[in-house]
Amino acid sequence: MNIDRTTHNPHLMQKKQFKHLLLGTFFIISVQSNAQIFKPQILDNPENIPSPVFPVPTERQMQWFETEFYGFTHYGPNTFVGREWGNDRKPDPMEYNPASIPDCDQWIETMHSAGMKGAVVVCKHHDGFCLWPTESTDFSVKNGTEIARKVNIPKLVSEACAKRGMKFGAYISPWDASNKHYATQEYVNNVLMKQITEICTDYGDMFEIWFDGANGGGGYYGGEAMTTRTINKATYYDWDNLLDSIHKMQPNCVVWGREYRWCGNEDGYSGKECWSNFTIDEITIEGANNKGIEDGIFFIPSEVDVRTTSKWFWTKDDEANTKSAEQLFRIYLESVGRNANLIMNCAPNTDGIIPEPVVNSLEGLGKLLDKRLKKDFAAGKKVSATQTRNPGNFNASNITDGDKDTYWATNDGEKTASITIDLGKTRTIHYVMLQEYIRLGQRIKGFTIETSKDNTFWTPFATGTTVGYKRIMAKDDNTESYGEGQKARYVRINITDSKECPLIHTISVY
Ligand code: FUL
């Protein structure tokens, strides 16, 4: 593979940014002491743009964050044999046995009704079966039943997404329990890489690729059932090389474990304090996946992965465990509302459709999102702030102008401030949503929210720590129920601590 590690690897790029920052600082110091001789460009900042607080997101990470909420489909041989992993069976392509062409349009329509903006489709799970006609192995639809041979799941899903303007992503399990080359270099170079290449070149634009850290060790491996073949996950898959190659094929696609991270649980919540800052040695730091690392030097935001039932693959019995729309709404608040993206599993059944109980809950979720988080009482309303960065275009009115590219800021060194929004009339407030301008880094470390009917007497609403891309605060940060709300005309946000001058592009009130 022909790779340029410096321009395509975000970690090397972030290291480079850091080095430039240090060099920049040195340069400023050295030119200042020789001010008569040089007129340094580096000090020109006519718009008074605040300096970044590193690490900062790449453009593709920004686009990923803006996708916020999307679906996951676990479907394949496991669906037909009632297993979650399927690593203990002799690989048999006939096990994947759809009676008719699966209705992928129904999958995506269901996700759309829930308010999702994309779909990540399992193309190959741990059992190694490929749901598209790959050249990389015989264990695929190519050697399946008459109907299976006509079905290409990534193709059908990508087309259904494109039809609705939804984004497309893919899951490919690096661990392959049936491939006889697994644990050798041959597997990484000629099996896994071939599979990734096929998926990244044949199905249009991708926004995310999921690699999964699971590795059961054992597997069938073409005859030697359950032989333990452990690998060193940190080195075996040659992550840097994979990352570079994927970006060459899919420039907008973020890569699991490198450009976004697993949130540390499958129960649907991110930490109340959640930093996108991280390190790649997270294993050594307790709880780091869930809350990030305040001073981590890499920008690797969190993604919450959750099931709508209790299993990843469908079984008839498990339909009874379908979470209610209210439960899914709470998960939304505790993921998207806590500076993480949310990927929600929608498992199709043996008839090739997402079953009715799950459809009902997802539609219900879409309705709750519309009812509770759509009409923004603060949109276009009057805002004032105790401090505003000057000179420049950083007025508090930027916070309610509906433009994510304009933001309010304070002067350098001013790390606390209060912002007051006048809603124009008394409203019943359930949620306050805050968004930092994270293109220049996640900065806020503490804030409180208060409300008032008369702009004189204030009642506490909630207290939080960091904000990031998006933080949705319920009354007392209690996500358990919708509650009564709090009646008020004025909302005041007090920033109590920040790494550097805080930058906020939007505050919404619902
Ligand atoms: C886990 C896997 O082992 C599960 O089967 C599922 O695919 C989930 C999303 O990730 O690590």
Side-chain angles (χ1 to χ4, degrees), residues 19-311:
K19 229 165 74 190
H20 285 168
L21 187 72
L22 290 178
L23 285 174
T25 314
F26 175 72
F27 182 57
I28 291 167
I29 295 165
S30 63
V31 290
Q32 273 174 345
S33 58
N34 294 297
Q36 263 97 346
I37 308 170
F38 297 109
K39 253 211 171 286
Q41 284 281 308
I42 200 161
L43 293 177
D44 285 352
N45 182 11
E47 289 171 28
N48 195 21
I49 306 287
S51 305
V53 172
F54 288 94
V56 296
T58 59
E59 185 53 41
R60 71 169 74 85
Q61 285 176 313
M62 277 310 300
Q63 287 178 25
W64 172 85
F65 243 147
E66 285 162 8
T67 313
E68 296 187 3
F69 177 34
Y70 31 89
F72 214 172
T73 62
H74 280 68
Y75 172 76
N78 287 335
T79 311
F80 296 86
V81 295
R83 293 291 173 89
E84 281 286 90
W85 275 11
N87 58 320
D88 52 353
R89 298 192 309 278
K90 183 171 189 219
D92 175 5
M94 294 298 164
E95 275 186 345
Y96 173 62
N97 191 15
S100 56
I101 309 274
D103 188 355
C104 295
D105 217 55
Q106 186 258 6
W107 308 1
I108 303 305
E109 185 49 39
T110 301
M111 294 179 189
H112 192 250
S113 75
M116 297 178 185
K117 296 190 203 156
V120 174
V121 58
V122 168
C123 298
K124 180 189 83 163
H125 203 255
H126 307 327
D127 58 9
F129 184 75
C130 293
L131 290 153
W132 76 100
T134 180
E135 296 292 316
S136 65
T137 169
D138 292 338
F139 193 36
S140 84
V141 287
K142 270 209 309 212
N143 294 310
T145 64
E146 201 185 324
I147 291 177
R149 290 201 296 276
K150 295 187 191 136
V151 181
N152 178 337
I153 293 291
K155 181 166 187 288
L156 293 174
V157 169
S158 61
E159 287 170 358
C161 284
K163 216 162 105 182
R164 291 170 181 79
M166 286 169 68
K167 295 191 183 177
F168 172 69
Y171 167 114
I172 300 174
S173 170
W175 174 39
D176 190 319
S178 62
N179 197 284
K180 64 173 189 268
H181 300 298
Y182 187 74
T184 68
Q185 208 46 48
E186 168 73 10
Y187 170 77
V188 177
N189 295 349
N190 295 329
V191 181
L192 182 62
M193 198 57 225
K194 193 174 266 173
Q195 294 170 347
I196 293 169
T197 304
E198 288 173 356
I199 293 297
C200 284
T201 46
D202 292 346
Y203 306 103
D205 226 36
M206 288 168 62
F207 82 103
E208 164 169 316
I209 191 158
W210 232 92
F211 280 136
D212 208 316
N215 183 321
Y220 197 84
Y221 300 123
E224 304 159 64
M226 303 311 289
T227 306
T228 297
R229 290 197 192 174
T230 42
I231 46 95
N232 178 348
K233 276 192 260 180
T235 52
Y236 177 57
Y237 299 111
D238 195 2
W239 292 115
D240 285 345
N241 197 2
L242 279 188
L243 194 82
D244 289 327
S245 310
I246 289 166
H247 289 162
K248 286 232 161 77
M249 297 181 277
Q250 288 286 346
N252 301 320
C253 182
V254 293
V255 175
W256 185 91
R258 291 274 139 164
E259 293 171 290
Y260 70 99
R261 67 176 194 265
W262 180 52
C263 71
N265 65 72
E266 292 182 342
D267 300 320
Y269 66 91
S270 163
K272 282 190 172 184
E273 177 178 0
C274 182
W275 291 91
S276 293
N277 306 350
F278 207 54
T279 137
I280 12 193
D281 301 322
E282 78 283 2
I283 317 120
T284 52
I285 303 168
E286 180 77 17
N289 279 299
N290 204 236
K291 65 183 279 209
I293 297 170
E294 186 181 321
D295 294 320
I297 61 163
F298 299 125
F299 193 92
I300 310 182
S302 171
E303 184 192 74
V304 169
D305 61 325
V306 74
R307 293 155 285 198
T308 39
T309 59
S310 72
K311 293 182 177 159

